[in-house]
Amino acid sequence: MNLNLFARSLTLVLMTLLSINGFAAEKTEHNFDRWEKSISQFEKQDQEQGVKTGGILFVGSSSIRMWDLDKYFPDQPVLNRGFGGSEIVDSTHFADRIIIKHQPKLIFLYAGDNDLARKKTAEEVSNDFKEFVAKVHKSLPETRIVFIAIKPSLSRWKLADTIQKANKLIAAQCAKDDLLEFADVWEPMLGEDGKPRPELFKSDGLHMEHAGYLIWKKAVQPYMDQK
């Protein structure tokens, strides 16, 4: 009887462990389908406006999506391919559909913010950037890629240490490759107290006001001016 009870208890423990592991796997599985509507809209724009090659393409999460590039860079051939809430892996996954076909001479990537908020490590974010670079350079070996540093923000200040670590890892990658650059927006967005400047952000403490984008413009402009 005791042996039967022990066997049933052991079976219950094993089933619980399997259930937990299955849940963890399900939880961490990345859902690319959630972006299909946004990607399809980009493709519709390409069909209507035509694909212009050799320009400057911005890609990444909502900080890119909400940036009125034509307003800030009226004399540059800029193209916005940001989709809010996305991570680096999303830009990599959809690169053929939203990046490669435009054959940009220069790419600005901003992502990592959402990645870290969803519990990715700094090392994982750095590796995701490495995979993004590999994906782009496989088809566009001469295209320059500028990573815009993961910004400090009021709403995600608790992640400051992890963000800085990810930025340092990615900056180190960029320093080893002539086609990679790192545009620092971290320091300029901090106040004298060493914390994010409130006036740079909307009421949600995450997305930026005009003043924030002016800092970003100043950070990326030198790379646009390079020949």
Side-chain angles (χ1 to χ4, degrees), residues 165-176:
K165 184 176 181 180
N167 280 337
K168 288 178 180 178
L169 290 171
I170 292 174
Q173 281 188 52
C174 294
K176 298 176 182 178

Side-chain angles (χ1 to χ4, degrees), residues 17 60 110 181 195 201:
L17 289 173
Y110 180 79
E181 301 283 359
K195 295 181 179 179
F201 298 92

Side-chain angles (χ1 to χ4, degrees), residues 20-134:
I20 292 173
N21 288 336
F23 174 76
E26 181 180 349
K27 183 179 179 181
T28 57
E29 184 178 353
H30 196 83
N31 179 20
F32 293 109
D33 292 339
R34 64 183 294 202
W35 308 119
E36 188 58 40
K37 182 178 179 180
S38 296
I39 302 306
S40 295
Q41 288 176 342
F42 288 143
E43 291 177 322
K44 183 179 179 181
Q45 290 176 21
D46 292 338
Q47 291 174 354
E48 294 173 350
Q49 302 171 8
V51 174
K52 298 179 181 179
T53 61
I56 300 172
L57 188 144
F58 286 72
V59 68
S61 57
S62 57
S63 292
I64 296 295
R65 180 183 63 81
M66 298 171 69
W67 198 353
D68 186 348
L69 297 176
D70 291 328
K71 172 184 174 181
Y72 288 84
F73 307 102
D75 300 321
Q76 298 280 9
V78 291
L79 182 65
N80 193 320
R81 287 296 177 263
F83 46 117
S86 63
E87 301 178 21
I88 296 176
V89 294
D90 297 308
S91 291
T92 304
H93 181 79
F94 292 110
D96 288 320
R97 296 171 64 183
I98 64 174
I99 301 174
I100 305 299
K101 64 181 175 181
H102 294 283
Q103 299 177 34
K105 65 178 181 180
L106 177 62
I107 296 171
F108 286 100
L109 170 67
Y110 180 79
D113 214 332
N114 298 317
D115 316 44
L116 295 174
R118 293 173 187 145
K119 308 302 183 183
K120 279 197 171 183
T121 66
E123 289 80 7
E124 287 173 326
V125 170
S126 178
N127 286 333
D128 287 345
F129 174 62
K130 187 179 296 183
E131 291 181 7
F132 174 83
V133 171

